[in-house]
Amino acid sequence: MDGNGRWAKTKGKFRIFGHKSGVNAVKEVSEAAAELGVQCVTLYAFSTENWSRPQKEVDALMELLVKTIRGELPTLQKNNIRLRAIGNLESLPTACRESLQDALNQTKNNTRLELILALSYSSKWDMVNAIKKIAEKVTLGELKASEINESTINNALSTYEWPHPELLIRTSGEHRVSNFLLWEIAYCEFYFTDTLWPDYTKEDLYEAILSFQKRERRFGKISEQILEKTEE
Ligand code: FPP
C-alpha cells in the first residue's frame, strides 16, 4: 500500500493525512475482493523496517490502526470477512494489540474473505523464526535434518494456513518487494501501477486482475504443456 506520503505531499498536507486517506482504499479493495470471490488478501500495512520512521509518524500510524480496526469491525462482520494478522504482533503497542486481538476473535467464524494484515512484519523476520522452530525440532530429535523439505518450511512460516499468493500488486510506481512474503511469492505474478495508494479504487483492482488473467503461468514448464492440460 505504497504512496500515502507522496499523495499527501502533492496536496500540501502532512504524511499522516495520506495514511488516513489510504484507509478508504483498504475498504475499496476489501469490498471488491469479497465481491469477486477472492479468498485471501494480504495488506502490507506496517513493516519491521517502518519502526525506523520518525516517532511521530509511527505513533500516528498505530493510532490509525486502532481506530480503523475498531471502526471497521461492524463492516467486517456485515460482509462476513475474517480479519487475520501476521508479523511480530507482540511489538505493537498494547491498545493496538488489544483491538486487533478483539477483531481477530470476533471475526473468527467469518468465511467469505480472509483479510490478512501484515503488521510489524518482514519476510526475513518470519524466515528467521521459521528456521529457529525447525532447528529446535532437530535439536530435540523430533525431526532429522535430512527430512527438511519445502513443506517443513511452509509449515514453520506465519503464513502456513494460506495458499501462496497468485498476484502481488505494488502501487506508487515502485518496483520492489520490500521484504514481503519472499518465500511465498516464488511463482507469484507481479503487477505494478503508478497509482498512489489513497487513489486506489475497485477499478484499479479489476485492471490488475484482468492483467493477471491474461498471463500464462508456466511454473517452469513450456507453453505447450500448459495448453495440453487446459485442452484435456
Ligand atoms: C506506505 O506508504 C504505507 C504505509 C507504511 C502505511 C499503510 C497503512 C494504511 C493505509 C492504514 C491502513 C489501515 C489498516 C487497518 C490496514 P508510504 O508512507 O511509504 O508512502 P510514500 O512512499 O509516498 O512515502
Side-chain angles (χ1 to χ4, degrees), residues 1-7 15 19 22-23 26 43-45 50 53 57 61 64-65 68-69 117 197:
M1 300 191 284
D2 205 4
N4 295 346
R6 277 164 286 162
W7 184 89
R15 293 178 56 81
H19 297 313
V23 173
V26 170
L43 297 171
Y44 202 4
N50 286 152
R53 290 196 173 194
E57 180 168 342
L61 264 170
L64 179 62
L65 278 167
T68 308
I69 293 168
L117 298 184
W197 179 251

Side-chain angles (χ1 to χ4, degrees), residues 1-136:
M1 300 191 284
D2 205 4
N4 295 346
R6 277 164 286 162
W7 184 89
K9 208 170 172 189
T10 60
K11 298 191 154 28
K13 305 264 188 184
F14 292 118
R15 293 178 56 81
I16 191 62
F17 180 70
H19 297 313
K20 284 182 182 158
S21 305
V23 173
N24 294 329
V26 170
K27 291 188 212 165
E28 283 261 313
V29 164
S30 320
E31 207 179 289
E35 285 163 1
L36 292 172
V38 174
Q39 285 165 357
C40 297
V41 172
T42 307
L43 297 171
Y44 202 4
F46 194 86
S47 72
T48 308
E49 291 78 15
N50 286 152
W51 289 114
S52 312
R53 290 196 173 194
Q55 194 58 42
K56 229 170 122 183
E57 180 168 342
V58 171
D59 292 345
L61 264 170
M62 291 299 141
E63 208 178 295
L64 179 62
L65 278 167
V66 175
K67 225 175 120 196
T68 308
I69 293 168
R70 285 197 188 137
E72 291 307 311
L73 189 53
T75 315
L76 292 174
Q77 298 292 42
K78 191 177 95 203
N79 291 319
N80 194 14
I81 296 174
R82 181 173 182 187
L83 193 71
R84 309 297 302 269
I86 53 171
N88 185 6
L89 306 182
E90 281 163 24
S91 66
L92 298 171
T94 313
C96 194
R97 241 179 20 235
E98 285 175 357
S99 55
L100 180 66
Q101 198 50 57
D102 182 48
L104 298 179
N105 291 341
Q106 290 207 45
T107 61
K108 73 173 192 288
N109 296 320
N110 294 348
T111 53
R112 191 162 168 222
L113 165 73
E114 298 219 32
L115 186 64
I116 307 157
L117 298 184
L119 288 171
S120 190
Y121 171 87
S122 78
S123 192
K124 287 189 179 177
W125 166 85
D126 205 15
M127 285 185 189
V128 168
N129 282 340
I131 291 165
K132 281 185 191 159
K133 273 189 224 162
I134 296 168
E136 186 88 9

Side-chain angles (χ1 to χ4, degrees), residues 186-189 216-226:
Y187 269 100
C188 186
E189 296 294 327
E216 183 181 62
R217 304 189 76 203
R218 292 192 292 278
F219 299 97
K221 293 183 181 170
I222 65 166
S223 196
E224 285 75 4
Q225 290 173 294
I226 308 299

